[in-house]
Amino acid sequence: MIGFKHPLKCVESLAPITRLCWEMGWNEINGGNISWRLSNEHIDNVLKQIVKIDEDFIKLSKPQPTLDGEYFLVTGSGKYFRHAIEKTDEVFGIVQIKDGGNSYQKIWGFKGGGKPTSEFATHLTGHSIRKRQSKGREEVILHCHPPEFIILSFLMPLDSSLLSLALWKTMPECIVFFPDGIRVVPPILPGTNKIADASAIELEKSRIISWSHHGIFVSEESPDAVFSLVETIEKASAMQRKIIAAGGAKQTISLQLLRELTDATENIRVCDPDILIKEEKKSNL
Ligand code: 2HA
Ligand code: ZN
């Protein structure tokens, strides 16, 4: 997989990460989806290679006026992450949002008549919010089914503060890499506008949301960054699950150490640790 070459540079960088997600056990069968809001540099590279663009406009179930004109590289509905390298132009496609954000047009890929993921409404809602909240920094959204993380939604209350604090207190990297914490969305039917709307509320506050009993949905600046964030969360979740299974922690990383970690890494911090601040107020620290 290292050394995978593709004429479209965005595909060359996304396909190996997609396949790696399957190797990690996060994307069984057709589970999960990934989308990338392409920068001008990638769009130029794509448009130079495309000979014919499909003329049809396809209506979006949920209009996205703030994304009008944007290009997205996205996995297809029903496609397997496992096939990302061998069947690249079936697994992926590129679309442009048209018609004031009401429709999309296929630009490349989706070979054999495919279309964007069933979670496209939530991906676009996520991109619209996270593009604004991150001032354009975040470009890639990954939804996958990391088992240890999902198990926590069966063992812990469905509460954003409790989940964020549990992970932060397990491993020092956690507060450093996700000071915004993880926001919990209750169990909702996948692939619906309802899950998109519930996710939108939480994505205003964090790059990371939990779809309870289902998976994770994460926004970051690149395929590599989004992978790394899920990898970190999944490792902390595995440790937390083992701690719970062993009867609970005898001691954990303290609030004070979480504050010291946050302050010491201010130079790389992308957002405020709101949940930590609330917790500090509660304990009068
Ligand atoms: O099958 O993961 O959330 C794709 C999904 C739906
Ligand atoms: Zn899913």
Side-chain angles (χ1 to χ4, degrees), residues 102-122:
N102 285 293
S103 308
Y104 70 85
Q105 187 177 24
K106 290 185 199 171
I107 302 291
W108 171 86
F110 298 126
K111 193 175 157 209
K115 60 176 186 188
T117 163
S118 58
E119 303 286 8
F120 201 39
T122 314

Side-chain angles (χ1 to χ4, degrees), residues 28 31-33 119 143-145 190 211 214-215:
E28 71 295 332
N33 16 79
E119 303 286 8
H143 161 55
C144 59
H145 305 157
W211 284 349
H214 173 174

Side-chain angles (χ1 to χ4, degrees), residues 136-191:
R137 188 186 72 86
E138 294 166 28
E139 295 181 359
V140 180
I141 289 182
L142 168 62
H143 161 55
C144 59
H145 305 157
E148 300 285 359
F149 178 74
I150 297 169
I151 290 169
L152 291 185
S153 75
F154 294 94
L155 298 178
M156 293 182 60
L158 302 181
D159 179 278
S160 303
S161 294
L162 288 178
L163 177 60
S164 303
L165 283 159
L167 297 186
W168 287 344
K169 288 179 173 185
T170 303
M171 228 169 71
E173 283 75 8
C174 290
I175 188 116
V176 174
F177 290 108
F178 52 99
D180 38 350
I182 297 170
R183 308 285 167 159
V184 174
V185 174
I188 297 177
L189 189 68

Side-chain angles (χ1 to χ4, degrees), residues 203-245:
L203 286 164
E204 291 285 347
K205 298 176 259 180
S206 174
R207 295 165 291 161
I208 308 155
I209 58 176
S210 167
W211 284 349
S212 302
H213 313 331
H214 173 174
I216 196 166
F217 188 93
V218 179
S219 169
E220 248 305 339
E221 67 181 346
S222 64
D224 207 42
V226 87
F227 177 90
S228 304
L229 203 45
V230 174
E231 183 188 27
T232 308
I233 293 165
E234 178 65 348
K235 177 161 183 182
S237 301
M239 290 165 66
Q240 185 55 222
R241 199 257 307 155
K242 286 178 185 151
I243 291 167
I244 294 171

